[in-house]
């Protein structure tokens, strides 16, 4: 217990799935959580779960593609707490379509949330962390950011971008002599609402999704397994890790 005791942590897209699991995990290890999501009801539910377990959290509705919302949120966190120690850029979407059917709007929407949202988080989160000279930024990429996958060209493009933005930001923090670490997490198929949305988008093809699971130890991963990885990178235990990619995929990319 207490692996992130007393730290202030912001997690985007924490109204469900991986973001919610990470928020609960960090709160259980002593962090105060700032939970954001475009789904305000989901964010409030996450806060309630944390508080019911004896943790501390508050939430705010946030569209991560809007820079003005980032600046207002960071200002409020700094006013309330005076610092940000941990930022988890988790908010993201997936649109599953063959290239011929994917519209430019589909492609741009994924990149607006998955790439622009992470860029804005890194930009404004690191600026706040720089005031205290230290912090940890964890960006959610995917195994789709490591290798190609049919019918997900926009998602692969966005998650590949997150992987290299992470490395670029990590090097820049070092050049600025800031103890701000930036790392990425690369989950495979995890049992979350996003996995359910994939099944819906492929017309209920559970057999096809099952074949994907067979390539990763024969099962879906759990949100808690990914949350444990996020906790490690958020905590001081990973003090020598920056610009790294932590793959949580049950061997899928092996």
């Amino acid at each position: 217990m207490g692996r992130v005791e007393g730290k202030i942590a912001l997690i985007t897209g924490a109204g469900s799935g991986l973001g919610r699991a990470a928020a609960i995990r960090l709160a259980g290890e002593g962090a105060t959580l700032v939970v954001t999501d475009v789904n305000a009801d989901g964010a409030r539910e996450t806060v309630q779960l944390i508080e019911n377990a004896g943790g501390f959290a508050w939430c705010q509705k946030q569209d991560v593609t809007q820079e003005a919302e980032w600046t207002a949120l960071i200002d409020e966190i700094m006013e309330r707490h005076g610092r940000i120690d941990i930022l988890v850029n988790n908010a993201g979407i997936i649109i599953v379509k063959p290239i011929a059917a994917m519209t430019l709007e589909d492609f741009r929407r994924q990149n607006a949330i998955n790439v622009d949202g992470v860029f804005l988080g890194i930009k404004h989160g690191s600026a706040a962390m720089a005031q205290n000279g230290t912090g940890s930024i964890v960006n959610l990429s995917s195994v789709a950011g490591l290798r190609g996958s049919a019918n997900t060209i926009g998602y692969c493009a966005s998650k590949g971008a997150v992987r290299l933005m992470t490395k670029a930001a990590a090097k820049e923090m070092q050049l600025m002599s800031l103890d701000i670490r930036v790392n990425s997490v690369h989950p495979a198929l995890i049992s979350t609402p996003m996995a359910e949305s994939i099944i819906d988008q492929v017309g209920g093809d559970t057999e096809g999704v099952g074949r994907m699971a067979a390539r990763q130890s024969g099962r879906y991963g759990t949100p808690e397994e990914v949350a444990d990885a996020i906790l490690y990178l958020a905590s001081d235990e990973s003090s020598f890790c920056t610009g790294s990619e932590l793959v949580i995929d049950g061997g899928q990319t092996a």
Side-chain angles (χ1 to χ4, degrees):
M1 298 293 290
R3 293 166 66 187
V4 286
E5 187 71 38
K7 294 185 183 293
I8 308 301
L10 164 60
I11 303 184
T12 67
S16 64
L18 296 183
R20 173 175 285 178
I24 291 170
R25 189 74 175 94
L26 267 63
E29 292 289 341
T32 294
L33 267 295
V34 182
V35 173
T36 77
D37 202 298
V38 71
N39 175 3
D41 289 339
R44 283 191 289 269
E45 289 173 6
T46 300
V47 169
Q48 191 63 59
L49 289 168
I50 290 170
E51 291 179 340
N52 289 348
F56 300 95
W58 56 276
C59 65
Q60 185 165 306
K61 184 176 181 179
Q62 181 193 19
D63 179 346
V64 296
T65 69
Q66 301 301 307
E67 188 163 19
E69 293 192 22
W70 271 107
T71 56
L73 173 64
I74 297 296
D75 286 348
E76 183 169 357
I77 296 171
M78 296 301 285
E79 183 177 344
R80 288 197 189 197
H81 304 290
R83 69 185 196 282
I84 300 173
D85 302 299
I86 298 162
L87 166 61
V88 181
N89 283 308
N90 168 75
I93 64 166
I94 184 170
I95 297 175
V96 182
K97 289 181 181 178
I99 294 170
M102 184 165 292
T103 65
L104 183 58
E105 182 182 1
D106 290 332
F107 189 87
R108 286 176 171 168
R109 180 167 176 248
Q110 287 178 97
N111 279 272
I113 296 169
N114 299 358
V115 180
D116 296 358
V118 173
F119 161 70
L120 291 170
I122 293 171
K123 176 182 177 180
H124 295 288
S126 65
M129 290 174 178
Q131 296 184 37
N132 293 312
T134 186
S136 176
I137 298 174
V138 182
N139 299 322
L140 267 292
S141 181
S142 166
V143 293
L146 301 174
R147 52 109 178 97
S149 178
N151 301 318
T152 56
I153 189 169
Y155 188 69
C156 287
S158 69
K159 292 304 185 178
V162 169
R163 174 177 177 264
L164 285 182
M165 286 196 302
T166 296
K167 296 180 185 300
K171 297 305 294 182
E172 190 163 330
M173 296 303 114
Q174 287 183 327
L175 286 174
M176 295 170 66
S177 298
L178 293 170
D179 183 24
I180 299 174
R181 298 178 297 104
V182 191
N183 294 288
S184 57
V185 174
H186 298 255
L189 194 61
I190 309 297
S191 182
T192 64
M194 180 175 283
E196 295 171 7
S197 82
I198 293 172
I199 294 173
D200 290 342
Q201 290 179 68
V202 296
D205 180 13
T206 54
E207 181 180 341
V209 177
R211 287 194 296 271
M212 291 172 60
R215 294 196 295 269
Q216 52 183 56
S217 299
R219 66 174 177 86
Y220 286 57
T222 69
E224 291 73 24
E225 287 170 319
V226 180
D228 284 341
I230 292 170
L231 171 62
Y232 168 69
L233 292 174
S235 76
D236 295 338
E237 295 166 12
S238 59
S239 58
F240 203 54
C241 295
T242 193
S244 65
E245 51 201 52
L246 184 49
V247 182
I248 315 295
D249 74 342
Q252 186 183 134
T253 58

